[in-house]
Amino acid sequence: QPQLVESGGGLVHPGGSLRLTCEASGLSLHYYAMTWFRQAPGKEREGVSCISSAGSNTVYADSVKGRFAISRDNAKNTVYLQMNSLEPEDTAVYYCAAAVGPLCTYYTSRIGSWGQGTQVTVSS
């Protein structure tokens, strides 16, 4: 399984933007669908977005549709989450995760590896 390192989180005002980056080592991400999860204090971890191994299919939670965009660059072994029009409700720790296969999943039982998480705080 690949090792994943996230970056790009921070503090932003409502309406602002951030781009999260997940870089992999150990194994090529070419083989794996990639999912972004988030977890706010006191809440369950939820799937935010997923992209299939070849990038041909993407999935978004209803709460972020039209605001977030997932992408990947398999040549760079990197996955991105562009977050626009951020809202306070988006505040959470965001995790990238590699699925065990090429198809998108929000099932944590089908996740092979996790990043360490990066904090996103949206506040005025």
mmCIF file of all heavy atoms in Angstrom, residues 42-80:
data_model
loop_
_atom_site.group_PDB
_atom_site.id
_atom_site.type_symbol
_atom_site.label_atom_id
_atom_site.label_comp_id
_atom_site.label_asym_id
_atom_site.label_seq_id
_atom_site.Cartn_x
_atom_site.Cartn_y
_atom_site.Cartn_z
ATOM 1 N N GLY A 42 -16.613 15.862 17.032
ATOM 2 C CA GLY A 42 -17.894 15.347 17.468
ATOM 3 C C GLY A 42 -18.752 14.741 16.389
ATOM 4 O O GLY A 42 -19.879 14.328 16.678
ATOM 5 N N LYS A 43 -18.262 14.682 15.161
ATOM 6 C CA LYS A 43 -19.029 14.133 14.060
ATOM 7 C C LYS A 43 -18.333 12.914 13.472
ATOM 8 O O LYS A 43 -17.136 12.705 13.656
ATOM 9 C CB LYS A 43 -19.242 15.186 12.975
ATOM 10 C CG LYS A 43 -20.106 16.361 13.401
ATOM 11 C CD LYS A 43 -20.409 17.269 12.231
ATOM 12 C CE LYS A 43 -21.340 18.393 12.620
ATOM 13 N NZ LYS A 43 -21.653 19.267 11.465
ATOM 14 N N GLU A 44 -19.103 12.122 12.755
ATOM 15 C CA GLU A 44 -18.557 10.959 12.084
ATOM 16 C C GLU A 44 -17.734 11.377 10.872
ATOM 17 O O GLU A 44 -17.982 12.410 10.250
ATOM 18 C CB GLU A 44 -19.684 10.020 11.641
ATOM 19 C CG GLU A 44 -20.496 9.434 12.784
ATOM 20 C CD GLU A 44 -21.605 8.529 12.293
ATOM 21 O OE1 GLU A 44 -21.801 8.429 11.063
ATOM 22 O OE2 GLU A 44 -22.275 7.915 13.130
ATOM 23 N N ARG A 45 -16.766 10.551 10.548
ATOM 24 C CA ARG A 45 -16.011 10.774 9.324
ATOM 25 C C ARG A 45 -16.917 10.556 8.122
ATOM 26 O O ARG A 45 -17.690 9.596 8.069
ATOM 27 C CB ARG A 45 -14.815 9.834 9.283
ATOM 28 C CG ARG A 45 -13.870 10.072 8.130
ATOM 29 C CD ARG A 45 -12.594 9.263 8.277
ATOM 30 N NE ARG A 45 -11.863 9.640 9.487
ATOM 31 C CZ ARG A 45 -10.650 9.205 9.781
ATOM 32 N NH1 ARG A 45 -10.019 8.380 8.950
ATOM 33 N NH2 ARG A 45 -10.069 9.587 10.911
ATOM 34 N N GLU A 46 -16.820 11.453 7.157
ATOM 35 C CA GLU A 46 -17.671 11.361 5.985
ATOM 36 C C GLU A 46 -16.844 11.447 4.712
ATOM 37 O O GLU A 46 -15.825 12.139 4.660
ATOM 38 C CB GLU A 46 -18.737 12.459 5.983
ATOM 39 C CG GLU A 46 -18.178 13.868 5.907
ATOM 40 C CD GLU A 46 -19.253 14.931 5.770
ATOM 41 O OE1 GLU A 46 -20.399 14.598 5.426
ATOM 42 O OE2 GLU A 46 -18.930 16.116 6.017
ATOM 43 N N GLY A 47 -17.310 10.760 3.698
ATOM 44 C CA GLY A 47 -16.691 10.862 2.396
ATOM 45 C C GLY A 47 -17.031 12.183 1.743
ATOM 46 O O GLY A 47 -18.182 12.621 1.761
ATOM 47 N N VAL A 48 -16.044 12.829 1.164
ATOM 48 C CA VAL A 48 -16.208 14.118 0.511
ATOM 49 C C VAL A 48 -16.197 13.976 -1.000
ATOM 50 O O VAL A 48 -17.058 14.520 -1.701
ATOM 51 C CB VAL A 48 -15.113 15.099 0.962
ATOM 52 C CG1 VAL A 48 -15.217 16.421 0.204
ATOM 53 C CG2 VAL A 48 -15.183 15.331 2.461
ATOM 54 N N SER A 49 -15.215 13.251 -1.518
ATOM 55 C CA SER A 49 -15.067 13.115 -2.951
ATOM 56 C C SER A 49 -14.185 11.920 -3.248
ATOM 57 O O SER A 49 -13.373 11.514 -2.418
ATOM 58 C CB SER A 49 -14.455 14.385 -3.555
ATOM 59 O OG SER A 49 -14.409 14.312 -4.965
ATOM 60 N N CYS A 50 -14.337 11.381 -4.441
ATOM 61 C CA CYS A 50 -13.555 10.232 -4.861
ATOM 62 C C CYS A 50 -13.266 10.343 -6.343
ATOM 63 O O CYS A 50 -14.075 10.899 -7.102
ATOM 64 C CB CYS A 50 -14.302 8.934 -4.557
ATOM 65 S SG CYS A 50 -13.384 7.441 -4.963
ATOM 66 N N ILE A 51 -12.131 9.811 -6.746
ATOM 67 C CA ILE A 51 -11.757 9.773 -8.150
ATOM 68 C C ILE A 51 -11.210 8.387 -8.458
ATOM 69 O O ILE A 51 -10.418 7.827 -7.693
ATOM 70 C CB ILE A 51 -10.741 10.888 -8.493
ATOM 71 C CG1 ILE A 51 -10.459 10.933 -9.991
ATOM 72 C CG2 ILE A 51 -9.463 10.747 -7.679
ATOM 73 C CD1 ILE A 51 -9.733 12.206 -10.420
ATOM 74 N N SER A 52 -11.642 7.820 -9.562
ATOM 75 C CA SER A 52 -11.210 6.485 -9.943
ATOM 76 C C SER A 52 -9.734 6.497 -10.333
ATOM 77 O O SER A 52 -9.119 7.545 -10.512
ATOM 78 C CB SER A 52 -12.066 5.946 -11.090
ATOM 79 O OG SER A 52 -11.976 6.781 -12.226
ATOM 80 N N SER A 53 -9.170 5.304 -10.466
ATOM 81 C CA SER A 53 -7.729 5.193 -10.647
ATOM 82 C C SER A 53 -7.221 5.926 -11.877
ATOM 83 O O SER A 53 -6.131 6.511 -11.846
ATOM 84 C CB SER A 53 -7.320 3.717 -10.703
ATOM 85 O OG SER A 53 -7.946 3.053 -11.788
ATOM 86 N N ALA A 54 -7.990 5.898 -12.956
ATOM 87 C CA ALA A 54 -7.596 6.574 -14.187
ATOM 88 C C ALA A 54 -8.125 7.999 -14.278
ATOM 89 O O ALA A 54 -7.841 8.689 -15.258
ATOM 90 C CB ALA A 54 -8.063 5.777 -15.399
ATOM 91 N N GLY A 55 -8.892 8.431 -13.292
ATOM 92 C CA GLY A 55 -9.444 9.770 -13.293
ATOM 93 C C GLY A 55 -10.683 9.938 -14.141
ATOM 94 O O GLY A 55 -11.145 11.071 -14.324
ATOM 95 N N SER A 56 -11.237 8.855 -14.645
ATOM 96 C CA SER A 56 -12.377 8.940 -15.546
ATOM 97 C C SER A 56 -13.706 9.112 -14.835
ATOM 98 O O SER A 56 -14.701 9.468 -15.475
ATOM 99 C CB SER A 56 -12.427 7.705 -16.436
ATOM 100 O OG SER A 56 -12.486 6.520 -15.657
ATOM 101 N N ASN A 57 -13.764 8.851 -13.548
ATOM 102 C CA ASN A 57 -14.993 8.948 -12.787
ATOM 103 C C ASN A 57 -14.727 9.699 -11.495
ATOM 104 O O ASN A 57 -13.738 9.420 -10.814
ATOM 105 C CB ASN A 57 -15.553 7.565 -12.477
ATOM 106 C CG ASN A 57 -16.899 7.622 -11.799
ATOM 107 O OD1 ASN A 57 -17.817 8.295 -12.257
ATOM 108 N ND2 ASN A 57 -17.033 6.896 -10.681
ATOM 109 N N THR A 58 -15.607 10.637 -11.177
ATOM 110 C CA THR A 58 -15.511 11.384 -9.927
ATOM 111 C C THR A 58 -16.851 11.366 -9.211
ATOM 112 O O THR A 58 -17.906 11.305 -9.842
ATOM 113 C CB THR A 58 -15.065 12.832 -10.156
ATOM 114 O OG1 THR A 58 -15.982 13.482 -11.040
ATOM 115 C CG2 THR A 58 -13.668 12.884 -10.754
ATOM 116 N N VAL A 59 -16.797 11.443 -7.889
ATOM 117 C CA VAL A 59 -17.976 11.408 -7.038
ATOM 118 C C VAL A 59 -17.831 12.505 -5.994
ATOM 119 O O VAL A 59 -16.729 12.727 -5.470
ATOM 120 C CB VAL A 59 -18.134 10.035 -6.352
ATOM 121 C CG1 VAL A 59 -19.354 10.026 -5.432
ATOM 122 C CG2 VAL A 59 -18.248 8.925 -7.382
ATOM 123 N N TYR A 60 -18.947 13.186 -5.688
ATOM 124 C CA TYR A 60 -18.939 14.254 -4.704
ATOM 125 C C TYR A 60 -20.106 14.100 -3.750
ATOM 126 O O TYR A 60 -21.213 13.727 -4.151
ATOM 127 C CB TYR A 60 -19.039 15.629 -5.363
ATOM 128 C CG TYR A 60 -17.867 15.956 -6.252
ATOM 129 C CD1 TYR A 60 -17.918 15.698 -7.615
ATOM 130 C CD2 TYR A 60 -16.719 16.521 -5.720
ATOM 131 C CE1 TYR A 60 -16.835 15.985 -8.429
ATOM 132 C CE2 TYR A 60 -15.634 16.810 -6.530
ATOM 133 C CZ TYR A 60 -15.704 16.546 -7.884
ATOM 134 O OH TYR A 60 -14.621 16.835 -8.691
ATOM 135 N N ALA A 61 -19.860 14.402 -2.484
ATOM 136 C CA ALA A 61 -20.949 14.513 -1.537
ATOM 137 C C ALA A 61 -21.850 15.681 -1.926
ATOM 138 O O ALA A 61 -21.388 16.690 -2.471
ATOM 139 C CB ALA A 61 -20.408 14.719 -0.122
ATOM 140 N N ASP A 62 -23.145 15.545 -1.641
ATOM 141 C CA ASP A 62 -24.082 16.609 -1.999
ATOM 142 C C ASP A 62 -23.678 17.952 -1.398
ATOM 143 O O ASP A 62 -23.889 19.004 -2.012
ATOM 144 C CB ASP A 62 -25.489 16.244 -1.541
ATOM 145 C CG ASP A 62 -26.116 15.151 -2.378
ATOM 146 O OD1 ASP A 62 -25.623 14.879 -3.484
ATOM 147 O OD2 ASP A 62 -27.114 14.567 -1.917
ATOM 148 N N SER A 63 -23.102 17.929 -0.217
ATOM 149 C CA SER A 63 -22.775 19.157 0.481
ATOM 150 C C SER A 63 -21.666 19.963 -0.192
ATOM 151 O O SER A 63 -21.515 21.152 0.096
ATOM 152 C CB SER A 63 -22.380 18.853 1.927
ATOM 153 O OG SER A 63 -21.267 17.982 1.974
ATOM 154 N N VAL A 64 -20.891 19.332 -1.081
ATOM 155 C CA VAL A 64 -19.768 20.034 -1.700
ATOM 156 C C VAL A 64 -19.889 20.125 -3.212
ATOM 157 O O VAL A 64 -19.018 20.728 -3.860
ATOM 158 C CB VAL A 64 -18.420 19.385 -1.327
ATOM 159 C CG1 VAL A 64 -18.274 19.281 0.182
ATOM 160 C CG2 VAL A 64 -18.266 18.014 -1.980
ATOM 161 N N LYS A 65 -20.935 19.563 -3.795
ATOM 162 C CA LYS A 65 -21.095 19.620 -5.243
ATOM 163 C C LYS A 65 -21.138 21.065 -5.726
ATOM 164 O O LYS A 65 -21.814 21.908 -5.158
ATOM 165 C CB LYS A 65 -22.369 18.893 -5.664
ATOM 166 C CG LYS A 65 -22.268 17.386 -5.615
ATOM 167 C CD LYS A 65 -23.562 16.731 -6.063
ATOM 168 C CE LYS A 65 -23.451 15.217 -6.030
ATOM 169 N NZ LYS A 65 -24.729 14.566 -6.413
ATOM 170 N N GLY A 66 -20.407 21.318 -6.786
ATOM 171 C CA GLY A 66 -20.334 22.654 -7.341
ATOM 172 C C GLY A 66 -19.305 23.541 -6.691
ATOM 173 O O GLY A 66 -19.013 24.624 -7.218
ATOM 174 N N ARG A 67 -18.750 23.130 -5.557
ATOM 175 C CA ARG A 67 -17.754 23.930 -4.853
ATOM 176 C C ARG A 67 -16.384 23.275 -4.817
ATOM 177 O O ARG A 67 -15.372 23.970 -4.838
ATOM 178 C CB ARG A 67 -18.213 24.205 -3.417
ATOM 179 C CG ARG A 67 -19.524 24.957 -3.324
ATOM 180 C CD ARG A 67 -19.826 25.386 -1.891
ATOM 181 N NE ARG A 67 -19.971 24.249 -0.988
ATOM 182 C CZ ARG A 67 -19.182 24.008 0.050
ATOM 183 N NH1 ARG A 67 -18.171 24.835 0.339
ATOM 184 N NH2 ARG A 67 -19.399 22.958 0.829
ATOM 185 N N PHE A 68 -16.352 21.951 -4.745
ATOM 186 C CA PHE A 68 -15.096 21.216 -4.654
ATOM 187 C C PHE A 68 -14.839 20.494 -5.962
ATOM 188 O O PHE A 68 -15.774 20.107 -6.671
ATOM 189 C CB PHE A 68 -15.147 20.183 -3.528
ATOM 190 C CG PHE A 68 -15.128 20.738 -2.137
ATOM 191 C CD1 PHE A 68 -15.325 22.079 -1.879
ATOM 192 C CD2 PHE A 68 -14.919 19.883 -1.065
ATOM 193 C CE1 PHE A 68 -15.318 22.583 -0.588
ATOM 194 C CE2 PHE A 68 -14.905 20.367 0.230
ATOM 195 C CZ PHE A 68 -15.104 21.713 0.468
ATOM 196 N N ALA A 69 -13.570 20.270 -6.269
ATOM 197 C CA ALA A 69 -13.182 19.517 -7.453
ATOM 198 C C ALA A 69 -11.990 18.635 -7.123
ATOM 199 O O ALA A 69 -10.968 19.127 -6.629
ATOM 200 C CB ALA A 69 -12.849 20.449 -8.611
ATOM 201 N N ILE A 70 -12.128 17.356 -7.386
ATOM 202 C CA ILE A 70 -11.046 16.414 -7.170
ATOM 203 C C ILE A 70 -10.332 16.161 -8.492
ATOM 204 O O ILE A 70 -10.959 16.141 -9.554
ATOM 205 C CB ILE A 70 -11.582 15.098 -6.563
ATOM 206 C CG1 ILE A 70 -10.437 14.208 -6.079
ATOM 207 C CG2 ILE A 70 -12.482 14.354 -7.541
ATOM 208 C CD1 ILE A 70 -10.908 13.020 -5.247
ATOM 209 N N SER A 71 -9.035 15.982 -8.431
ATOM 210 C CA SER A 71 -8.260 15.689 -9.628
ATOM 211 C C SER A 71 -7.045 14.862 -9.234
ATOM 212 O O SER A 71 -6.702 14.755 -8.055
ATOM 213 C CB SER A 71 -7.834 16.975 -10.352
ATOM 214 O OG SER A 71 -7.016 17.777 -9.520
ATOM 215 N N ARG A 72 -6.403 14.279 -10.227
ATOM 216 C CA ARG A 72 -5.205 13.503 -9.947
ATOM 217 C C ARG A 72 -4.229 13.627 -11.097
ATOM 218 O O ARG A 72 -4.609 13.850 -12.254
ATOM 219 C CB ARG A 72 -5.547 12.029 -9.682
ATOM 220 C CG ARG A 72 -6.092 11.256 -10.879
ATOM 221 C CD ARG A 72 -6.657 9.901 -10.440
ATOM 222 N NE ARG A 72 -5.644 9.075 -9.802
ATOM 223 C CZ ARG A 72 -5.899 8.089 -8.948
ATOM 224 N NH1 ARG A 72 -7.156 7.807 -8.607
ATOM 225 N NH2 ARG A 72 -4.905 7.387 -8.422
ATOM 226 N N ASP A 73 -2.963 13.475 -10.764
ATOM 227 C CA ASP A 73 -1.891 13.458 -11.742
ATOM 228 C C ASP A 73 -1.069 12.217 -11.435
ATOM 229 O O ASP A 73 -0.189 12.239 -10.573
ATOM 230 C CB ASP A 73 -1.051 14.727 -11.657
ATOM 231 C CG ASP A 73 -0.027 14.824 -12.764
ATOM 232 O OD1 ASP A 73 0.333 13.795 -13.358
ATOM 233 O OD2 ASP A 73 0.430 15.953 -13.043
ATOM 234 N N ASN A 74 -1.390 11.136 -12.119
ATOM 235 C CA ASN A 74 -0.723 9.879 -11.810
ATOM 236 C C ASN A 74 0.769 9.917 -12.124
ATOM 237 O O ASN A 74 1.556 9.219 -11.482
ATOM 238 C CB ASN A 74 -1.397 8.728 -12.564
ATOM 239 C CG ASN A 74 -2.743 8.362 -11.972
ATOM 240 O OD1 ASN A 74 -3.050 8.693 -10.833
ATOM 241 N ND2 ASN A 74 -3.555 7.664 -12.755
ATOM 242 N N ALA A 75 1.162 10.726 -13.103
ATOM 243 C CA ALA A 75 2.581 10.863 -13.405
ATOM 244 C C ALA A 75 3.348 11.467 -12.241
ATOM 245 O O ALA A 75 4.526 11.160 -12.044
ATOM 246 C CB ALA A 75 2.780 11.706 -14.661
ATOM 247 N N LYS A 76 2.697 12.337 -11.469
ATOM 248 C CA LYS A 76 3.300 12.941 -10.287
ATOM 249 C C LYS A 76 2.939 12.201 -9.011
ATOM 250 O O LYS A 76 3.374 12.606 -7.930
ATOM 251 C CB LYS A 76 2.880 14.400 -10.162
ATOM 252 C CG LYS A 76 3.366 15.291 -11.291
ATOM 253 C CD LYS A 76 2.942 16.737 -11.068
ATOM 254 C CE LYS A 76 3.458 17.638 -12.160
ATOM 255 N NZ LYS A 76 3.032 19.040 -11.962
ATOM 256 N N ASN A 77 2.123 11.160 -9.124
ATOM 257 C CA ASN A 77 1.700 10.375 -7.970
ATOM 258 C C ASN A 77 1.025 11.256 -6.924
ATOM 259 O O ASN A 77 1.280 11.133 -5.717
ATOM 260 C CB ASN A 77 2.885 9.631 -7.354
ATOM 261 C CG ASN A 77 2.579 8.181 -7.052
ATOM 262 O OD1 ASN A 77 1.716 7.565 -7.683
ATOM 263 N ND2 ASN A 77 3.296 7.619 -6.083
ATOM 264 N N THR A 78 0.132 12.118 -7.393
ATOM 265 C CA THR A 78 -0.456 13.148 -6.551
ATOM 266 C C THR A 78 -1.946 13.282 -6.836
ATOM 267 O O THR A 78 -2.389 13.141 -7.978
ATOM 268 C CB THR A 78 0.245 14.494 -6.789
ATOM 269 O OG1 THR A 78 1.640 14.365 -6.501
ATOM 270 C CG2 THR A 78 -0.337 15.579 -5.900
ATOM 271 N N VAL A 79 -2.707 13.560 -5.784
ATOM 272 C CA VAL A 79 -4.136 13.817 -5.864
ATOM 273 C C VAL A 79 -4.409 15.171 -5.225
ATOM 274 O O VAL A 79 -3.765 15.541 -4.238
ATOM 275 C CB VAL A 79 -4.939 12.707 -5.168
ATOM 276 C CG1 VAL A 79 -6.430 13.004 -5.212
ATOM 277 C CG2 VAL A 79 -4.655 11.363 -5.818
ATOM 278 N N TYR A 80 -5.375 15.895 -5.773
ATOM 279 C CA TYR A 80 -5.713 17.228 -5.297
ATOM 280 C C TYR A 80 -7.190 17.317 -4.943
ATOM 281 O O TYR A 80 -8.027 16.610 -5.498
ATOM 282 C CB TYR A 80 -5.411 18.287 -6.364
ATOM 283 C CG TYR A 80 -4.013 18.250 -6.900
ATOM 284 C CD1 TYR A 80 -3.715 17.545 -8.059
ATOM 285 C CD2 TYR A 80 -2.984 18.918 -6.247
ATOM 286 C CE1 TYR A 80 -2.425 17.508 -8.559
ATOM 287 C CE2 TYR A 80 -1.690 18.888 -6.739
ATOM 288 C CZ TYR A 80 -1.417 18.184 -7.888
ATOM 289 O OH TYR A 80 -0.133 18.151 -8.382
#
